Each structure stands twice: as C-alpha cells, then as structure tokens.
Amino acid sequence: MKEEIDETVRASRALAAAGLTDMVWGHAALRDPDTDGVWMKASGWGFEEISPERVLLVSRDGEVLHGEGKRHIEYPIHTEIMARRTDVRCVVHTHAPALSAFASLDVPLLPLSHDGVVFSDPQVPRFTDTGALIATAELGGALAETLGDAPACLLPKHGAVTAGPDAATAVMYAVLLERACRTQLMAMAAGEVKVWSDAEEAAFKREQIWNSAQRDAGWNYLTRLAERTFQ
C-alpha cells in the first residue's frame, strides 16, 4: 500500500514539474495489487499539492476504500483501462494545452522530433465518442477499447491519456506526447512541414532514445525537480 501511495505522489508531482497541470484537474493512478481499484489523488488538489494524505484508493465501482477526501469523477478512465490492460500499472490523464490543441486538428502526429517517434507508428489513436467527462464505466470501457495496446490516446475537445507498466513510463509518455504535439504545432505555424523520420528511423529511435533506461532518466530528473520546486 505504501509503495502505491508514494508512487502516486511522485507521479503527481513529476507531472506538475513538467508543466502538465490544469489547476486541480487531471490525475495519475496506480493499480492496487489486492483489489480492482486504483490509487489516485483526491479531488480538489493540484498535482503539486499531493502528499500521502491526499491519495485515495478508489474501487472499480467508485467507492473510496482508503483515505480522506472526494474522488475524481473520471476515475473510470483508470479502472477500465487497467481492467483491460494487464500490462498497465499506471495511467495518466492530463489536459495539457499543446496536446489538447493538437487533438482538435485531426491530422497525424508526425515524428518530427525524438518525442514524436513514440506515437507515430502506429499512429496515436483518438477517442471521439465524447468530448465530455469520462464519468461512467461504459465510457471508460470505450476509451480503453480505443486505446488498445497503444501508449497513449488523444481525446479531442478534452485532453489525453497515457498508460504504462509503471509510473515512470506513463508520466514520461504524457510529457513526450505534450512535447511532440507542441513541436508539430510550432512547425505547422511556421509553414509546410517537410521533414520527419521515416518508419525505419522512427523504430530505431524508439529503442535508442526511449528505452527504459532513458525513460527512467527523464522520470528521475522530474522527481528531483519536483523535490526542489514543491517543498
């Protein structure tokens, strides 16, 4: 239990350090190994404000099993993805500005930078059933089906989700997705996009640049930055 609580705190603060905040909205969740629930921050708090006392265990049907505070209404994002993806231990939901803007364009996310190679082949899916809150198990399940086995899914008119085997991976995917979307938005604003990695180079870069050791290096940097910033 303590491990999941501590990792939820680290994930939340790392997302804040990376600038993926939206006041008190958005959340990271860790799978509970003993129930069908997830550990996630309590509603009403920003990523940078999360401490162990502000982390809840929320069951798949929305009951708060541990902790004090109100749960987020969009908990089904996490519970339904984890119910369908046994490989996933952490899910992140964010409304970061660049990815939210890019999701509205209905154009492919190209591997223009190192960040983009993670989401280009296969192309990052988009969930279009609704732009409103994912507040029911049915919508959470539909989102999980759209995500499939991908590392991320864009939610036009809303934000995005990322998923990984640990907090380091899910958080870094969220950070990389935001950066990839921002890079392409800047390139498109400057003119016609003409140069990006082909499929072979993108595949090579995924392993060379974003292997687990490199993802962990980014995660560890963000957690150190969070410790210095949010004391």
Side-chain angles (χ1 to χ4, degrees):
M1 180 173 73
K2 185 177 186 302
E3 177 184 352
E4 285 74 30
I5 292 173
D6 289 346
E7 201 163 1
T8 302
V9 173
R10 287 186 71 193
S12 299
R13 290 181 165 234
L15 289 163
L20 271 65
T21 55
D22 180 22
M23 292 186 282
V24 300
W25 299 285
H27 20 81
L30 271 292
R31 181 190 295 273
D32 181 61
D34 300 318
T35 72
D36 62 0
V38 295
W39 294 92
M40 60 190 299
K41 74 179 183 69
S43 179
W45 302 100
F47 281 139
E48 75 281 3
E49 298 180 297
I50 301 308
S51 62
E53 295 74 24
R54 293 169 180 165
V55 175
L56 309 177
L57 174 59
V58 182
S59 73
R60 193 175 176 186
D61 63 5
E63 181 183 358
V64 176
L65 303 176
H66 179 90
E68 298 294 329
K70 184 179 178 181
R71 63 161 170 77
H72 280 276
I73 193 172
E74 289 194 298
Y75 75 90
I77 288 176
H78 308 282
T79 54
E80 296 307 312
I81 288 174
M82 291 188 200
R84 288 161 176 79
R85 289 274 300 269
T86 58
D87 61 307
V88 168
R89 185 168 169 265
C90 181
V91 172
V92 169
H93 174 47
T94 175
H95 309 129
L99 59 83
S100 297
F102 183 82
S104 72
L105 299 180
D106 197 26
V107 299
L109 183 57
L110 301 173
L112 304 184
S113 63
H114 297 336
D115 310 317
V117 302
V118 178
F119 312 105
S120 61
D121 185 23
Q123 184 61 211
V124 60
R126 285 171 165 83
F127 178 70
T128 58
D129 288 20
T130 182
L133 298 182
I134 311 299
T136 66
E138 290 74 21
L139 282 173
L143 172 57
E145 292 298 325
T146 300
L147 173 67
D149 61 359
C153 182
L154 292 170
L155 284 62
K157 303 174 285 183
H158 189 161
V161 298
T162 60
D166 48 40
T169 303
V171 167
M172 283 299 295
Y173 282 162
V175 173
L176 297 178
L177 181 60
E178 170 73 357
R179 286 165 36 140
C181 290
R182 185 185 308 120
T183 296
Q184 187 160 335
L185 288 170
M186 289 190 296
M188 292 170 68
E192 182 183 358
V193 180
K194 297 182 178 181
V195 179
W196 57 86
S197 293
D198 61 21
E200 183 178 1
E201 183 175 73
F204 177 75
K205 289 175 70 174
R206 279 193 291 274
E207 177 54 34
Q208 182 190 50
I209 299 169
W210 297 123
N211 56 66
S212 59
Q214 289 287 80
R215 292 197 305 269
D216 285 347
W219 159 255
N220 289 330
Y221 165 75
L222 289 174
T223 56
R224 292 194 304 270
L225 180 59
E227 288 173 0
R228 295 195 301 271
T229 307
F230 310 122
Q231 297 180 352

PDB file of all heavy atoms in Angstrom, residues 138-154:
ATOM      1  N   GLU A 138     -19.038   2.638 -18.783  1.00  0.00           N
ATOM      2  CA  GLU A 138     -19.239   2.408 -20.213  1.00  0.00           C
ATOM      3  C   GLU A 138     -18.305   3.277 -21.043  1.00  0.00           C
ATOM      4  O   GLU A 138     -17.669   2.795 -22.000  1.00  0.00           O
ATOM      5  CB  GLU A 138     -20.691   2.694 -20.590  1.00  0.00           C
ATOM      6  CG  GLU A 138     -21.699   1.683 -20.059  1.00  0.00           C
ATOM      7  CD  GLU A 138     -21.957   1.808 -18.564  1.00  0.00           C
ATOM      8  OE1 GLU A 138     -21.682   2.894 -17.984  1.00  0.00           O
ATOM      9  OE2 GLU A 138     -22.427   0.812 -17.960  1.00  0.00           O
ATOM     10  N   LEU A 139     -18.204   4.563 -20.696  1.00  0.00           N
ATOM     11  CA  LEU A 139     -17.299   5.447 -21.422  1.00  0.00           C
ATOM     12  C   LEU A 139     -15.840   5.079 -21.149  1.00  0.00           C
ATOM     13  O   LEU A 139     -14.999   5.129 -22.052  1.00  0.00           O
ATOM     14  CB  LEU A 139     -17.559   6.897 -21.037  1.00  0.00           C
ATOM     15  CG  LEU A 139     -18.778   7.547 -21.671  1.00  0.00           C
ATOM     16  CD1 LEU A 139     -19.033   8.920 -21.074  1.00  0.00           C
ATOM     17  CD2 LEU A 139     -18.607   7.658 -23.187  1.00  0.00           C
ATOM     18  N   GLY A 140     -15.545   4.710 -19.901  1.00  0.00           N
ATOM     19  CA  GLY A 140     -14.189   4.269 -19.592  1.00  0.00           C
ATOM     20  C   GLY A 140     -13.802   3.044 -20.389  1.00  0.00           C
ATOM     21  O   GLY A 140     -12.672   2.940 -20.888  1.00  0.00           O
ATOM     22  N   GLY A 141     -14.754   2.114 -20.536  1.00  0.00           N
ATOM     23  CA  GLY A 141     -14.504   0.916 -21.321  1.00  0.00           C
ATOM     24  C   GLY A 141     -14.309   1.236 -22.790  1.00  0.00           C
ATOM     25  O   GLY A 141     -13.450   0.659 -23.457  1.00  0.00           O
ATOM     26  N   ALA A 142     -15.106   2.160 -23.316  1.00  0.00           N
ATOM     27  CA  ALA A 142     -14.966   2.557 -24.718  1.00  0.00           C
ATOM     28  C   ALA A 142     -13.618   3.229 -24.958  1.00  0.00           C
ATOM     29  O   ALA A 142     -12.967   2.997 -25.989  1.00  0.00           O
ATOM     30  CB  ALA A 142     -16.107   3.490 -25.108  1.00  0.00           C
ATOM     31  N   LEU A 143     -13.197   4.056 -24.013  1.00  0.00           N
ATOM     32  CA  LEU A 143     -11.877   4.679 -24.113  1.00  0.00           C
ATOM     33  C   LEU A 143     -10.783   3.616 -24.095  1.00  0.00           C
ATOM     34  O   LEU A 143      -9.828   3.679 -24.878  1.00  0.00           O
ATOM     35  CB  LEU A 143     -11.678   5.675 -22.973  1.00  0.00           C
ATOM     36  CG  LEU A 143     -10.278   6.281 -22.817  1.00  0.00           C
ATOM     37  CD1 LEU A 143      -9.835   6.983 -24.093  1.00  0.00           C
ATOM     38  CD2 LEU A 143     -10.239   7.237 -21.623  1.00  0.00           C
ATOM     39  N   ALA A 144     -10.916   2.647 -23.202  1.00  0.00           N
ATOM     40  CA  ALA A 144      -9.927   1.574 -23.121  1.00  0.00           C
ATOM     41  C   ALA A 144      -9.845   0.798 -24.429  1.00  0.00           C
ATOM     42  O   ALA A 144      -8.749   0.408 -24.867  1.00  0.00           O
ATOM     43  CB  ALA A 144     -10.266   0.636 -21.965  1.00  0.00           C
ATOM     44  N   GLU A 145     -10.993   0.575 -25.072  1.00  0.00           N
ATOM     45  CA  GLU A 145     -11.007  -0.133 -26.350  1.00  0.00           C
ATOM     46  C   GLU A 145     -10.305   0.687 -27.431  1.00  0.00           C
ATOM     47  O   GLU A 145      -9.587   0.143 -28.279  1.00  0.00           O
ATOM     48  CB  GLU A 145     -12.445  -0.439 -26.768  1.00  0.00           C
ATOM     49  CG  GLU A 145     -13.150  -1.453 -25.877  1.00  0.00           C
ATOM     50  CD  GLU A 145     -12.479  -2.817 -25.889  1.00  0.00           C
ATOM     51  OE1 GLU A 145     -11.953  -3.223 -26.948  1.00  0.00           O
ATOM     52  OE2 GLU A 145     -12.457  -3.468 -24.824  1.00  0.00           O
ATOM     53  N   THR A 146     -10.517   2.000 -27.429  1.00  0.00           N
ATOM     54  CA  THR A 146      -9.846   2.859 -28.402  1.00  0.00           C
ATOM     55  C   THR A 146      -8.349   2.898 -28.154  1.00  0.00           C
ATOM     56  O   THR A 146      -7.554   2.856 -29.097  1.00  0.00           O
ATOM     57  CB  THR A 146     -10.420   4.285 -28.349  1.00  0.00           C
ATOM     58  OG1 THR A 146     -11.818   4.243 -28.638  1.00  0.00           O
ATOM     59  CG2 THR A 146      -9.730   5.200 -29.344  1.00  0.00           C
ATOM     60  N   LEU A 147      -7.954   2.991 -26.906  1.00  0.00           N
ATOM     61  CA  LEU A 147      -6.524   2.981 -26.555  1.00  0.00           C
ATOM     62  C   LEU A 147      -5.869   1.696 -27.036  1.00  0.00           C
ATOM     63  O   LEU A 147      -4.750   1.719 -27.574  1.00  0.00           O
ATOM     64  CB  LEU A 147      -6.362   3.126 -25.044  1.00  0.00           C
ATOM     65  CG  LEU A 147      -4.936   2.973 -24.495  1.00  0.00           C
ATOM     66  CD1 LEU A 147      -4.040   4.123 -24.958  1.00  0.00           C
ATOM     67  CD2 LEU A 147      -4.968   2.889 -22.962  1.00  0.00           C
ATOM     68  N   GLY A 148      -6.550   0.564 -26.863  1.00  0.00           N
ATOM     69  CA  GLY A 148      -5.968  -0.714 -27.257  1.00  0.00           C
ATOM     70  C   GLY A 148      -4.656  -0.947 -26.529  1.00  0.00           C
ATOM     71  O   GLY A 148      -4.559  -0.726 -25.325  1.00  0.00           O
ATOM     72  N   ASP A 149      -3.617  -1.367 -27.271  1.00  0.00           N
ATOM     73  CA  ASP A 149      -2.319  -1.597 -26.651  1.00  0.00           C
ATOM     74  C   ASP A 149      -1.350  -0.451 -26.895  1.00  0.00           C
ATOM     75  O   ASP A 149      -0.138  -0.598 -26.722  1.00  0.00           O
ATOM     76  CB  ASP A 149      -1.720  -2.915 -27.145  1.00  0.00           C
ATOM     77  CG  ASP A 149      -1.492  -2.932 -28.658  1.00  0.00           C
ATOM     78  OD1 ASP A 149      -1.815  -1.921 -29.333  1.00  0.00           O
ATOM     79  OD2 ASP A 149      -0.991  -3.947 -29.166  1.00  0.00           O
ATOM     80  N   ALA A 150      -1.883   0.719 -27.282  1.00  0.00           N
ATOM     81  CA  ALA A 150      -1.057   1.893 -27.553  1.00  0.00           C
ATOM     82  C   ALA A 150      -0.565   2.526 -26.245  1.00  0.00           C
ATOM     83  O   ALA A 150      -1.161   2.321 -25.181  1.00  0.00           O
ATOM     84  CB  ALA A 150      -1.852   2.917 -28.354  1.00  0.00           C
ATOM     85  N   PRO A 151       0.499   3.325 -26.314  1.00  0.00           N
ATOM     86  CA  PRO A 151       0.986   4.009 -25.116  1.00  0.00           C
ATOM     87  C   PRO A 151       0.170   5.233 -24.736  1.00  0.00           C
ATOM     88  O   PRO A 151       0.279   5.725 -23.610  1.00  0.00           O
ATOM     89  CB  PRO A 151       2.416   4.412 -25.495  1.00  0.00           C
ATOM     90  CG  PRO A 151       2.376   4.563 -26.985  1.00  0.00           C
ATOM     91  CD  PRO A 151       1.407   3.524 -27.461  1.00  0.00           C
ATOM     92  N   ALA A 152      -0.647   5.735 -25.681  1.00  0.00           N
ATOM     93  CA  ALA A 152      -1.390   6.970 -25.423  1.00  0.00           C
ATOM     94  C   ALA A 152      -2.602   7.049 -26.323  1.00  0.00           C
ATOM     95  O   ALA A 152      -2.695   6.355 -27.341  1.00  0.00           O
ATOM     96  CB  ALA A 152      -0.495   8.190 -25.664  1.00  0.00           C
ATOM     97  N   CYS A 153      -3.527   7.917 -25.919  1.00  0.00           N
ATOM     98  CA  CYS A 153      -4.717   8.171 -26.725  1.00  0.00           C
ATOM     99  C   CYS A 153      -5.090   9.642 -26.566  1.00  0.00           C
ATOM    100  O   CYS A 153      -5.162  10.146 -25.435  1.00  0.00           O
ATOM    101  CB  CYS A 153      -5.870   7.289 -26.262  1.00  0.00           C
ATOM    102  SG  CYS A 153      -7.389   7.465 -27.223  1.00  0.00           S
ATOM    103  N   LEU A 154      -5.286  10.329 -27.675  1.00  0.00           N
ATOM    104  CA  LEU A 154      -5.758  11.705 -27.636  1.00  0.00           C
ATOM    105  C   LEU A 154      -7.273  11.731 -27.491  1.00  0.00           C
ATOM    106  O   LEU A 154      -7.973  10.894 -28.076  1.00  0.00           O
ATOM    107  CB  LEU A 154      -5.352  12.444 -28.907  1.00  0.00           C
ATOM    108  CG  LEU A 154      -3.856  12.712 -29.082  1.00  0.00           C
ATOM    109  CD1 LEU A 154      -3.580  13.231 -30.490  1.00  0.00           C
ATOM    110  CD2 LEU A 154      -3.348  13.702 -28.044  1.00  0.00           C
TER     111      LEU A 154
END
